[in-house]
Amino acid sequence: MSNPLSTDSDDDLGDLFQEPSRPPSPLPSFAYYTSKSGRNELKIRLVGSHPLWAHHLWNAARRFAQYLEDNPEFCRDRFVLELGAGGALPGLIAATLDARKVVLTDYPDPQLIRNIEINVENNIPYMTRDRVSVQGHIWGKPVDPLFESIRDSKPHEAGGGFDMIILSDLVFNHSQHDALLQTCSRALLSPSSNSDQTGSSKTPCLLVFFTHHRPHLVDEDMDFFKKAEQQGWKAEKVVEDRMEPMFPDDPGDEEVRATVHGWRLWRA
């Protein structure tokens, strides 16, 4: 290879200070979810690539959507919050199931937030779109901005907070368990003194669906629930369902990687 400084041409020197061309950012992709009734097909736009893994529609999100369709009482006339929404399939399904208000959130990256807004525009009819809002939220930070989204829709006597919080495939982020629980504790509607203590659909709750993507870190995933119980949360498993593994060639037990788990958490 010749030395670029050996040329006598001044014109060639400019090339030394040009940044090498970068590969173009991956284009967005689309995934589809057909409702159990077959009446609706949701087209979920996914960012082309992202370090927070928002460029996949995970099995947990699909199974979550099915669970909500099977149990619409969790959504109907309720105030719903989705954290770390990504493509926001479960939250969008909640909106189609007549939730009074759905707030879809993710890390306040413009790319992520705009992508969720597009999914709302593509999947929620214009006449009911005012019942869905999108905003950025960092787990563990103040939740007052989240309450602003529901304040006009919520009767004053009902108090602040959400009736149900969606956590879809978030527990793999082990370093954020404490912050995630902090947001949930602050954002969930406090149970009334006469509320059902059994964790029924009428009790304010978290719904947490996930897959153990790294079988050797199952215990670390489950630490989320240990920490929750230490903080006074009650937990009940509601789903265990084997699906097709998303990445068949990944290491570790395929049965573990293919199984979606769903839990309901509530406070006494």
Side-chain angles (χ1 to χ4, degrees):
M1 179 180 296
S2 61
N3 183 348
L5 296 180
S6 65
T7 178
D8 292 331
S9 170
D10 291 340
D11 292 338
D12 292 335
L13 292 177
D15 294 338
L16 295 175
F17 302 101
Q18 293 180 359
E19 290 189 11
S21 60
R22 300 179 181 179
S25 298
L27 294 174
S29 62
F30 294 89
Y32 296 86
Y33 174 83
T34 302
S35 64
K36 296 192 72 172
S37 67
R39 291 193 299 258
N40 298 316
E41 182 179 65
L42 277 68
K43 181 180 180 180
I44 304 299
R45 183 182 189 267
L46 303 166
V47 295
S49 179
H50 201 277
L52 296 179
W53 304 100
H55 52 295
H56 294 293
L57 183 61
W58 300 95
N59 281 341
R62 292 183 180 276
R63 188 61 183 88
F64 210 138
Q66 294 171 4
Y67 181 81
L68 294 178
E69 289 193 274
D70 288 338
N71 300 273
E73 64 274 12
F74 281 106
C75 305
R76 190 177 297 119
D77 205 34
R78 312 294 291 279
F79 291 87
V80 178
L81 170 67
E82 182 168 7
L83 298 175
L89 173 60
L92 293 170
I93 288 292
T96 69
L97 294 172
D98 298 324
R100 185 178 296 189
K101 185 77 176 187
V102 177
V103 180
L104 305 171
T105 71
D106 210 324
Y107 188 82
D109 176 327
Q111 181 186 17
L112 292 180
I113 299 305
R114 180 56 190 148
N115 189 72
I116 298 174
E117 291 173 342
I118 291 172
N119 281 332
V120 172
E121 294 164 5
N122 288 344
N123 294 287
I124 303 301
Y126 178 79
M127 295 299 293
T128 59
R129 206 171 291 163
D130 61 341
R131 299 209 304 258
V132 183
S133 66
V134 180
Q135 65 183 92
H137 175 71
I138 297 176
W139 304 338
K141 298 297 183 181
V143 297
D144 287 346
L146 303 179
F147 293 158
E148 287 293 332
S149 297
I150 63 174
R151 195 153 285 152
D152 292 340
S153 306
K154 199 172 182 69
H156 177 71
E157 63 273 12
F162 292 86
D163 300 294
M164 192 255 286
I165 301 179
I166 292 171
L167 282 69
S168 182
D169 235 339
L170 303 183
V171 301
F172 77 91
N173 199 339
H174 306 145
S175 66
Q176 296 301 306
H177 284 177
D178 290 326
L180 189 54
L181 283 167
Q182 193 172 47
T183 287
C184 291
S185 294
R186 292 171 176 173
L188 191 69
L189 183 67
S190 297
S192 62
S193 59
N194 61 350
S195 66
D196 184 352
Q197 299 299 302
T198 64
S200 74
S201 60
K202 295 182 180 180
T203 304
C205 69
L206 318 179
L207 289 177
V208 185
F209 280 54
F210 62 94
T211 297
H212 296 299
H213 297 289
R214 298 164 294 180
H216 65 289
L217 295 177
V218 168
D219 289 343
E220 286 81 353
D221 291 346
M222 297 307 293
D223 279 345
F224 175 85
F225 298 95
K226 292 180 181 178
K227 290 181 177 182
E229 290 177 358
Q230 291 168 0
Q231 296 177 25
W233 294 86
K234 306 294 184 183
E236 174 192 20
K237 193 166 195 175
V238 295
V239 165
E240 183 172 320
D241 195 6
R242 192 190 193 284
M243 303 180 71
E244 289 298 317
M246 292 189 62
F247 308 104
D249 296 332
D250 274 6
D253 189 328
E254 182 175 284
E255 186 76 18
V256 175
R257 293 185 289 106
T259 301
V260 174
H261 306 269
W263 289 75
R264 179 170 55 187
L265 280 72
W266 70 96
R267 292 181 296 199

